[in-house]
Structures are given as structure tokens and as C-alpha cells.
Amino acid sequence: MAMETQVATIATDRTSNVSWGAVIAGAIAASALAFVLHSFAAALGLSLSSTAPTWRDTSFALVFLAGLYLVLLAIVSYSFGAYVTARLQTPLAGVSSDAEFRDGMHGLLVWGLATLLTGIMVIAAAQAVPRLAAPSAGAASTSVAGENIIAFDLDRLFRSERRPPGNMDYPRAEAARILLTAPSHRGMQSDDRAYLVRLTAAMTGLAPADAERRVDTVIASAQENLNRARRSGIVLGFMAGAAALIGAVCAWYAACAAGRHRDGREALSPLWDWGRPAVRP
């Protein structure tokens, strides 16, 4: 009977082993540090996207460097948040054998919560950017995503000395949807190309032959730009996934190291032991 009571007491104690206050504090610290490091990246030109029409001219080396920066950012921010969480916890009495695992799991909880917060911010930013970067004024475009990817190509397609008749929102959106088929497996269909030539001639007043040459030039440019954007997206997506996985590992080990420092099982480096008394000569 005494053994059953002891087991029940231990089980009850372990159900409250998650220190959610420390986890939330660590996740906030990790997200704040990640935001600061993202700001530095934007200032250095390592941001993942740009509203400039020539952002597609970014070289592969710079895209890869931006991906490596994502990995470094994940290592630093997740490790910092997990370390903060483990140091804020109160050591458990009588379960020292599980202390390492408990600290590591708290580090993973910080990683998961900070990742969710980052994902929410990225989704909110992705929804806001198209509205801010929509090229046409007035009513919202019917193909904002397509126009933002190849906005400069659309400008070149409909460039004219005269004022285009009527509202250009729908013609631009329609042309964007047609141009987006250029890098597909089947490529742009002949009837779509012919319609784009007629649309360009009607909007710009060009002769059919001139409109056809302009359309061919814009199709080639849009295809190259879309392929380059696709390759950049693949590289950055892979690096973002790798950064998240590496961040999980770093969060686990950082939390375990912080637990050893907290419990006095491992001496803290003098460089980071800010609480030590000052030594006077």
C-alpha cells in the first residue's frame, strides 16, 4: 500500500513537470532575438525577398548565403531561448536522473512554440505584402500574385507613349496569368501567345509585327525570371527546413547544458558567469 502511494505521488509530481511560464519566456526570447537578427539580415541585403523589380537578379551565391544565415539564425535564437527556459526552471527534488531529459524536452517545447510564432508572423507578412506591393492603383488586382512576380515584365509589355484606354487592372492580370504558363512543362500555348499579341497591340497601339516581337521578348524574360525565382525558392525552402531541424537539436543541447549550469553539475564559463562576485586585486 505504501509503495502504491509513493508511485502515485511520483506520477502526480511528474504531470506538473512542464514549466509553461519558462517555456513561454524562452519562446519570446528566441522570437525577439530572431527578429533582431532578421533586421540585421535585411540591412545587409540578406533578406529573403524584396519589393524591387530587379530582386530576381540575385545571384545563386547570395541566395545560398541567405540560406546559411537562416541556419545560423536558427542555431543562435533557438539555443538562446532554450537556455533561458532551462535556467528559469526550478530543479526537481528526487528525480535528478530525469533532469537531463526534462530540460531537453523543455528546449524542444521552446523550439516548437517559437516555430509556431514565426510561422504565424510569416503567414501574416505573406498576406500583407501582396496588398502593399500591388502595382495597380484603385481596385485590387484580380491576379496580384502573378503581377508581383513579373510586374516589371508586364510594365515592359504594355509600355506606350499614349495613355492606355480604360482600366488596366484586368488586362495586366490576364497577361500575367498567360505569362505564368511560359515556364510550365507544356509551355505557352500558341493561341494564348496570339491572344497576348493582340492584347498588346490593342493596349499600346503598336503594329502587329512590333507587338509580336515585344511579346516574344517579354515571354523569354518572364520565363527566365520565373525559373530563377523558382530555383531561389527551392534553395531557401530547403535551407529553412534544415535550419528548423538543426534548431531543434541545438535547443535540446542548449537546454541540457543550461540545466547542468543551473544545478551546479557543470561549472559555468567565467565569460558567461555574470552573477559571480567581482574580484578585487
Side-chain angles (χ1 to χ4, degrees), residues 130-131 134 136-144 147 167 169-170 173:
R131 293 193 296 268
S136 53
S141 173
T142 55
S143 183
V144 170
E147 289 198 33
N167 195 320
D169 283 346
Y170 187 79

Coordinates of all heavy atoms in Angstrom, one line a residue, residues 130-131 134 136-144 147 167 169-170 173:
P130 N 1.5 41.3 -50.7 CA 0.8 41.5 -52.0 C -0.1 42.7 -52.0 O -0.2 43.4 -53.0 CB 0.0 40.2 -52.2 CG 0.7 39.2 -51.4 CD 1.2 39.9 -50.2
R131 N -0.7 43.0 -50.9 CA -1.6 44.2 -50.8 C -0.8 45.5 -50.9 O -1.2 46.5 -51.5 CB -2.5 44.2 -49.6 CG -3.5 43.1 -49.5 CD -4.5 43.3 -48.4 NE -3.9 43.2 -47.1 CZ -3.8 42.2 -46.4 NH1 -4.2 41.0 -46.8 NH2 -3.2 42.2 -45.2
A134 N 1.0 45.7 -54.6 CA 0.2 45.6 -55.8 C 0.5 46.8 -56.7 O 0.5 47.9 -56.3 CB -1.3 45.6 -55.5
S136 N -1.0 48.1 -59.4 CA -2.1 49.0 -59.9 C -2.8 49.7 -58.8 O -3.0 49.1 -57.7 CB -3.1 48.1 -60.7 OG -3.5 47.1 -60.0
A137 N -3.2 50.9 -59.1 CA -3.9 51.7 -58.0 C -5.4 51.4 -58.2 O -5.9 50.8 -59.1 CB -3.6 53.2 -58.3
G138 N -6.1 51.9 -57.2 CA -7.6 51.8 -57.2 C -8.0 50.4 -56.7 O -7.5 49.9 -55.7
A139 N -8.8 49.8 -57.5 CA -9.4 48.5 -57.1 C -8.2 47.4 -57.0 O -7.3 47.5 -57.8 CB -10.5 48.0 -58.0
A140 N -8.4 46.4 -56.2 CA -7.4 45.4 -56.1 C -7.4 44.6 -57.4 O -8.4 44.3 -58.0 CB -7.8 44.4 -54.9
S141 N -6.1 44.2 -57.7 CA -6.0 43.4 -58.9 C -6.6 42.0 -58.8 O -6.6 41.4 -57.7 CB -4.5 43.3 -59.3 OG -4.3 42.4 -60.4
T142 N -7.0 41.5 -59.9 CA -7.6 40.1 -59.9 C -6.5 39.0 -60.0 O -6.8 37.9 -59.9 CB -8.5 39.9 -61.1 OG1 -7.8 40.3 -62.3 CG2 -9.7 40.8 -60.9
S143 N -5.2 39.4 -60.1 CA -4.2 38.4 -60.2 C -2.9 39.1 -59.5 O -1.9 39.2 -60.1 CB -3.9 38.0 -61.6 OG -2.9 37.0 -61.6
V144 N -3.1 39.4 -58.2 CA -2.0 40.2 -57.6 C -0.7 39.4 -57.5 O 0.4 39.9 -57.8 CB -2.5 40.6 -56.1 CG1 -1.3 41.1 -55.3 CG2 -3.6 41.6 -56.2
E147 N 1.1 39.3 -60.9 CA 1.6 40.7 -61.2 C 2.9 41.0 -60.4 O 3.8 41.6 -60.9 CB 0.6 41.7 -61.0 CG -0.5 41.7 -62.0 CD -1.3 43.0 -62.1 OE1 -0.7 44.1 -61.8 OE2 -2.5 43.0 -62.3
N167 N -9.4 51.0 -67.8 CA -8.7 50.5 -66.6 C -7.8 49.3 -67.0 O -8.2 48.4 -67.7 CB -9.7 50.0 -65.6 CG -9.0 49.8 -64.2 OD1 -7.9 49.3 -64.1 ND2 -9.7 50.2 -63.2
D169 N -6.3 47.2 -64.9 CA -6.2 46.1 -63.9 C -6.4 44.7 -64.6 O -5.6 43.8 -64.4 CB -7.2 46.3 -62.8 CG -6.8 47.4 -61.9 OD1 -5.6 47.8 -61.9 OD2 -7.6 47.9 -61.1
Y170 N -7.5 44.5 -65.2 CA -7.8 43.2 -65.8 C -6.9 42.8 -66.9 O -6.4 41.7 -66.9 CB -9.3 43.1 -66.2 CG -9.6 41.7 -66.6 CD1 -9.9 40.8 -65.6 CD2 -9.7 41.3 -68.0 CE1 -10.2 39.5 -66.0 CE2 -10.0 40.0 -68.3 CZ -10.3 39.1 -67.3 OH -10.6 37.8 -67.7
A173 N -3.7 41.6 -65.3 CA -3.9 40.4 -64.6 C -4.0 39.2 -65.6 O -3.5 38.1 -65.4 CB -5.1 40.4 -63.7

